[in-house]
Amino acid sequence: MSDPLLSVDGIDAAYGQSQILRDLSLSVERGEVVSLVGRNGAGKTTTLRAILGILTPSAGTVTFDGDDVTHRPDYETVARGIQYVPEDRQVFPDLSVDENLRLGELKSKGAGTLTMEEVFERFPRLRERRANKGSQLSGGEQQMLVIARALVGKTDLLMLDEPTEGLAPQIVEDVIEIIESINDEGVTVLLVEQNVQAAMSVADRHYVINKGQNVFEGTTDEIRAADDVLEEHLGVG
Ligand code: ATP
């Protein structure tokens, strides 16, 4: 078997004196959708930040596409093809949909996974809203926009932080469909979710973390069968 696209091996990470991640490991194969789930404050966002290089791990390694990127700054990992869509979406409210996308295009320097035209083919709703300002979009449309903006950059691995948060159930389904369709086109996805049902409906494998440590890893069937994990670490079951 070939090496995983992303391999996180035994990382520790801290904010100042407060250690958040402890010996955390996970891997994502090319073409997979993998979820990282856990309760509030478990360290999910911190894990994504440590992978990207916003925060440098104090121990362990992060390997992406065969290269050790543990001590690389975020602009380098982004250039290598990791895109991160944060929880707060960061749509520029005063810029139009078109302008928001062009910013992603500028950053990609022509190496994007999708062109603007391809984005509009795949996200017809964004074409309709093209001239609207970011602030005029619904939560679902904003989520669509930030995913699309990531894809006009070079995206081998798309890391999504709670993309379904605050969205109505019907819109959650739309976002899940979007994740499935971009994965069908070859984009590998690492998904952080509070919504365990959403994570189980879209991801192939799951990592459950608690207090910055791995507590469970398995397929969707395995996690569904693990009542104790669902109850203790995810508050469902
Ligand atoms: P959530 O769903 O609430 O975002 P999470 O699993 O993503 O949860 P993190 O955001 O990674 O959790 O936070 C893990 C821990 O790190 C929490 O205890 C949080 O208070 C702490 N933390 C997060 N950001 C900082 C920061 N910038 N400085 C200090 N502590 C932080």
Side-chain angles (χ1 to χ4, degrees), residues 15 18 20 39-47 87 161-162 194:
Y15 292 112
S18 93
I20 307 295
R39 286 183 188 270
N40 255 333
K44 305 180 296 296
T45 298
T46 306
T47 305
E87 198 176 346
D161 199 346
E162 300 200 25
Q194 198 83 252

Side-chain angles (χ1 to χ4, degrees), residues 7 14 17 20 24 35 58 80 118 125 139 147 160 187 198-199 201 206 214 222 225 233:
S7 182
Q17 295 298 310
I20 307 295
L24 188 108
S35 93
S58 51
R80 279 163 188 254
E118 287 167 338
R125 183 79 188 138
I147 291 176
L160 300 173
V187 175
S201 71
H206 312 270
N214 293 92
E222 286 164 345
H233 299 296

Side-chain angles (χ1 to χ4, degrees), residues 37 39 196-197 200 208 216 220-237:
V37 288
R39 286 183 188 270
V196 181
Q197 299 303 335
M200 289 198 286
V208 182
F216 182 84
T220 301
D221 286 346
E222 286 164 345
I223 200 173
R224 274 191 214 285
D227 293 344
D228 53 335
V229 172
L230 288 172
E231 244 179 79
E232 187 182 346
H233 299 296
L234 302 170
V236 291

Side-chain angles (χ1 to χ4, degrees), residues 152-211:
V152 296
K154 175 173 156 59
T155 312
D156 296 318
L157 175 68
L158 181 61
M159 302 199 300
L160 300 173
D161 199 346
E162 300 200 25
T164 69
E165 203 205 1
L167 303 180
Q170 177 55 49
I171 312 299
V172 168
E173 278 178 37
D174 293 347
V175 169
I176 287 171
E177 270 178 34
I178 288 170
I179 296 171
E180 282 169 346
S181 71
I182 57 183
N183 177 245
D184 285 345
E185 293 190 38
V187 175
T188 304
V189 180
L190 176 59
L191 172 73
V192 157
E193 262 302 340
Q194 198 83 252
N195 179 341
V196 181
Q197 299 303 335
M200 289 198 286
S201 71
V202 67
D204 309 301
R205 288 191 305 116
H206 312 270
Y207 289 89
V208 182
I209 64 169
N210 186 33
K211 296 187 180 142

Side-chain angles (χ1 to χ4, degrees), residues 18-86:
S18 93
Q19 189 173 355
I20 307 295
L21 304 182
R22 294 162 206 274
D23 197 22
L24 188 108
S25 298
L26 61 85
S27 69
V28 184
E29 305 287 335
R30 283 180 177 76
E32 271 190 313
V33 179
V34 168
S35 93
L36 181 61
V37 288
R39 286 183 188 270
N40 255 333
K44 305 180 296 296
T45 298
T46 306
T47 305
L48 299 189
R49 292 166 64 92
I51 292 168
L52 201 69
I54 298 174
L55 184 71
T56 304
S58 51
T61 53
V62 178
T63 311
F64 180 67
D65 204 9
D67 292 326
D68 184 342
V69 296
T70 319
H71 299 282
R72 302 273 171 217
D74 57 351
Y75 58 85
E76 275 190 32
T77 48
V78 170
R80 279 163 188 254
I82 304 184
Q83 294 284 341
Y84 169 48
V85 176

